[in-house]
Amino acid sequence: MNQTKLNKYARSVSIIGVGCTPFMYTIEKEETSGLTEGEMFGYAALKAMEDAGVNPQDVDYYFHGEASPLNGSNYLTPNIQIGNWFGMKGKGSIHHSEACCTGYLAIEQAVNAVASGKYNCVLTGCVEFGDSVPMSTDEEDTVESPKHPYKRQKVTMDRFLKTTAWLYDRTYTRSMMAGQELIYDDAAEWYVRTNGITAEQMNDALNWMCINNMRNAAVTPLSLVNFMKDTDQPIPTYDERAEKMGMTLDEYMNSMYNPKMGDFLRAGGVELKCDGAAACIVCATEMIPQIAKNLKHKPIEVLGIGSAACEASTPHFEVQATIEAVRQVYELTGLSGDDLDLFYANDFIITSHLISAEIAGYLPKGEGWKYIVDGRTAWNGDKPINTNGGRTAFGHAHAASGLADVYECCKQIWGEAEGHQVPNLEGHKLPKTAMLRGYGGAQNVAAVVLQRKDD
């Protein structure tokens, strides 16, 4: 595999404000049904500006990320359509799409723009309608059909899966690794085989990742689980489901109500597609006193971002790309897994949660599954992972998920994580250093390292 050597940024760049919508099934509630892309992106953007103590005039440029704008919003140039919603009419912008890695690479785009010296302060945001699509005005609905400007309808799984064909070039991919439906078990099989654990131990780890994610989401205000609480279709925790069925938690997780989808992965280990948006303000650290005079918290410096991409012709491509991205950023920063207080992984296939944490050295190789089963990776454990609940419980608004993780990570580092602030960690009253491992786009991987600036 090709390797890349990262160079240090030309100047320090920090995150100074974050914003996020609730992750939602927008069409399920009267007050959110009819929301447009501009309204959702604009909400997150304005919240990020408010958090940073800046206004639109202070922001030089904005980045717009969306995984599937044509399918989800019926735009080819979505960044152009929305600037009025957050006061940036006339400002330059660009749209980008890297599927489920979009939100993590949104940080890289913004940091590069500021580190270069071209801009001092930029907004980077992502939005996605992962649960609904624009309502067609034609009887025969196609991508090209005219769409209603704000009415939406539930996206069926059949329609969603058709869009995954746009992600994968199957011409040269290995027969058992070509499509999204066939890669679920790869990382689990690899982990079992290379670490010598049993299938039963892997099953326990997969189940406890789901349990911990759901428990984390239940105490996270912006999660899909909380959004759905007061509807007629709530998303109960696994503890609640087991109690309702008169089962123990272990019995429920291994029952027909959480069926296997292959040799290892169960239904609970797959994303909850939903709608949402998130954004952050990125600023040259040296310029913060001039631009964000009312900044209420410490800047969080972006120390480095490792990136790699391997499509499905590469055996165990998620593993290999993660190894390379992590190597790059550790080589650049001189850090290791021992320096991390928090870890986030885009776990729309929940095995990502375990393998990436071990590759990053946040959990010990071959032993991470024990930490998960023992509850040590829950939000109130000593090795917290995905404190917001991850993709299987916080929700997965594809492009927006990465920036939602950045939002959550920054709130934890600032001590502002309402109702689920991680406990005091060794050496810090609050977490200080974190890695976010992004994954997506058949398949892009990013390893983002953030650290609070205390001096």
Side-chain angles (χ1 to χ4, degrees):
M1 179 188 289
N2 291 319
Q3 293 190 332
T4 298
K5 178 178 174 58
L6 302 183
N7 295 314
K8 288 188 177 297
Y9 295 125
R11 59 177 177 170
S12 170
V13 181
S14 294
I15 296 169
I16 59 172
V18 292
C20 189
T21 70
F23 270 33
M24 306 172 275
Y25 293 146
T26 54
I27 63 176
E28 297 295 336
K29 289 188 178 182
E30 184 177 354
E31 61 266 33
T32 55
S33 181
L35 280 175
T36 66
E37 176 180 325
E39 289 170 308
M40 288 212 299
F41 190 104
Y43 177 93
L46 290 171
K47 283 290 186 183
M49 292 182 199
E50 179 185 2
D51 195 44
V54 301
N55 60 49
Q57 288 71 41
D58 300 314
V59 181
D60 302 319
Y61 192 91
Y62 68 91
F63 293 87
H64 175 284
E66 189 171 5
S68 187
L70 184 58
N71 184 58
S73 301
N74 215 216
Y75 293 139
L76 283 176
T77 56
N79 57 303
I80 304 300
Q81 319 297 331
I82 64 172
N84 282 349
W85 285 101
F86 46 99
M88 292 191 66
K89 182 176 183 178
K91 295 286 181 82
S93 66
I94 193 170
H95 165 70
H96 62 101
S97 173
E98 295 80 28
C100 297
C101 203
T102 303
Y104 306 90
L105 294 179
I107 290 292
E108 179 159 43
Q109 300 273 3
V111 170
N112 289 347
V114 173
S116 71
K118 183 177 182 181
Y119 303 116
N120 287 323
C121 183
V122 302
L123 165 74
T124 186
C126 294
V127 63
E128 199 79 50
F129 286 100
D131 180 63
S132 58
V133 292
M135 190 172 289
S136 176
T137 57
D138 285 359
E139 289 185 11
E140 293 188 11
D141 183 19
T142 66
V143 170
E144 298 84 6
S145 299
K147 302 295 193 294
H148 194 281
Y150 63 86
K151 288 185 178 179
R152 306 185 67 85
Q153 59 193 15
K154 201 87 168 173
V155 60
T156 63
M157 183 56 69
D158 178 65
R159 179 167 180 162
F160 172 73
L161 290 177
K162 285 179 181 177
T163 68
T164 63
W166 306 348
L167 273 174
Y168 294 88
D169 178 0
R170 293 185 167 93
T171 307
Y172 297 106
T173 52
R174 294 183 299 127
S175 59
M176 290 304 291
M177 287 289 291
Q180 180 167 323
E181 302 88 344
L182 301 176
I183 65 173
Y184 290 153
D185 271 339
D186 177 69
E189 186 279 331
W190 171 84
Y191 188 93
V192 168
R193 176 167 42 81
T194 57
N195 291 294
I197 71 169
T198 67
E200 289 75 19
Q201 288 169 329
M202 174 53 72
N203 182 68
D204 287 344
L206 290 169
N207 283 341
W208 274 99
M209 281 187 271
C210 295
I211 294 166
N212 291 336
N213 266 5
M214 195 64 76
R215 288 176 177 174
N216 291 357
V219 292
T220 302
L222 297 182
S223 70
L224 179 63
V225 170
N226 271 310
F227 178 83
M228 293 299 291
K229 266 187 175 178
D230 57 352
T231 71
D232 58 2
Q233 294 182 310
I235 302 172
T237 66
Y238 290 109
D239 304 85
E240 292 167 341
R241 298 179 205 195
E243 182 179 2
K244 182 177 180 180
M245 299 304 297
M247 296 177 170
T248 66
L249 188 56
D250 183 67
E251 287 171 342
Y252 181 89
M253 297 304 294
N254 291 293
S255 74
M256 59 181 281
Y257 302 108
N258 187 32
K260 280 191 173 183
M261 302 178 66
D263 291 335
F264 295 99
L265 194 75
R266 293 180 179 272
V270 180
E271 65 183 62
L272 293 178
K273 297 186 293 85
C274 65
D275 310 326
C280 71
I281 301 295
V282 171
C283 188
T285 307
E286 65 192 19
M287 298 298 294
I288 292 173
Q290 298 177 44
I291 294 172
K293 298 182 179 66
N294 299 314
L295 186 63
K296 62 184 180 182
H297 36 229
K298 299 280 188 180
I300 296 177
E301 187 175 16
V302 183
L303 297 184
I305 302 172
S307 299
C310 297
E311 40 62 64
S313 65
T314 306
H316 316 302
F317 53 88
E318 180 190 357
V319 173
Q320 298 305 322
T322 301
I323 290 171
E324 171 59 10
V326 168
R327 181 200 65 78
Q328 290 174 18
V329 77
Y330 280 166
E331 183 181 89
L332 173 73
T333 62
L335 299 177
S336 71
D338 293 335
D339 298 303
L340 303 179
D341 301 313
L342 291 172
F343 191 84
Y344 294 85
N346 196 20
D347 58 351
F348 57 91
I349 300 171
I350 208 165
T351 42
S352 296
H353 189 117
L354 168 61
I355 64 164
S356 58
E358 285 198 14
I359 290 169
Y362 183 70
L363 298 180
K365 186 180 184 304
E367 301 291 322
W369 67 275
K370 296 178 183 177
Y371 283 61
I372 290 166
V373 170
D374 290 343
R376 296 177 64 181
T377 59
W379 73 269
N380 55 355
D382 64 317
K383 283 288 186 177
I385 297 177
N386 289 357
T387 54
N388 58 3
R391 307 289 76 84
T392 65
F394 184 82
H396 193 20
H398 304 131
S401 292
L403 284 180
D405 280 355
V406 172
Y407 173 92
E408 168 71 15
C409 180
C410 290
K411 290 296 185 182
Q412 290 286 354
I413 290 173
W414 287 326
E416 299 173 5
E418 180 186 345
H420 64 295
Q421 180 65 50
V422 299
N424 290 350
L425 301 173
E426 186 176 354
H428 309 295
K429 289 186 177 180
L430 291 172
K432 181 175 182 178
T433 307
M435 177 181 283
L436 301 97
R437 198 295 315 244
Y439 168 50
Q443 292 301 331
N444 288 299
V445 165
V448 182
V449 176
L450 307 179
Q451 187 174 81
R452 187 181 63 247
K453 286 187 71 66
D454 288 331
D455 51 10

